Amino acid sequence: MSHLRKVALFIALDLVVLLFVLLLLTYYGMSHLLLLSMGLVFLVMTIYDLRSGNFSKIFSEFLGLSDSDDIGRLRWLPVVLSALLFILSMPVLLEHGLVNNIQRQAMQYGQFIRVVFPAVAGGIAVIVIAIWTIFTGSRNR
């Protein structure tokens, strides 16, 4: 299996697992906990990486990327996105606690199917865009 196919498979499986976990937690009214914890973990990781560059180096080697100054200009973007994820999920935790009972009751009494179909469709679209970006980006090099 080629290097690009391995990367595409890794990213697709990662996104499928994240979607499954998010839908599972949504069913139980705890999706905000996943978003909050992911935001916090990513924020700590990206701030650490801004100072050390260790994660960027490992990820670049894993994906087979060359070191580029263009990537350096975008290193602040994951920090902003992870902080935004953390900040947007914090009010739900403060208002509802660990379990959002309103969400849980809505999901368990019929609304879950209305959430699943758009989430899966959006997840498939994101996976297709990610894989397309990987293969078209490799052709442009």
Side-chain angles (χ1 to χ4, degrees), residues 18 21-22 25 30-39 85:
L18 281 176
V21 170
L22 183 61
L25 289 176
M30 299 180 349
S31 60
H32 61 285
L33 293 179
L34 177 68
L35 298 176
L36 182 77
S37 61
M38 283 176 47
L85 187 62

Side-chain angles (χ1 to χ4, degrees), residues 3 7 10-11 14 45 49 53-67 71 134:
H3 182 68
V7 171
F10 172 76
I11 290 174
D14 180 48
M45 287 175 59
D49 189 54
N54 290 336
F55 291 132
S56 294
K57 189 169 91 175
I58 292 169
F59 192 67
S60 294
E61 288 175 7
F62 175 72
L63 293 178
L65 301 173
S66 61
D67 293 333
I71 295 174
I134 290 169

Side-chain angles (χ1 to χ4, degrees), residues 38-52 55 79 82:
M38 283 176 47
L40 183 62
V41 168
F42 292 153
L43 184 62
V44 169
M45 287 175 59
T46 53
I47 289 173
Y48 171 75
D49 189 54
L50 281 176
R51 295 185 131 303
S52 68
F55 291 132
V79 174
S82 58

Side-chain angles (χ1 to χ4, degrees), residues 25-33 92-93 95-107:
L25 289 176
T26 299
Y27 184 77
Y28 291 109
M30 299 180 349
S31 60
H32 61 285
L33 293 179
V92 179
L93 178 68
E95 183 177 343
H96 297 284
L98 294 178
V99 176
N100 184 346
N101 288 316
I102 297 168
Q103 178 187 3
R104 190 191 79 214
Q105 288 175 352
M107 294 299 117

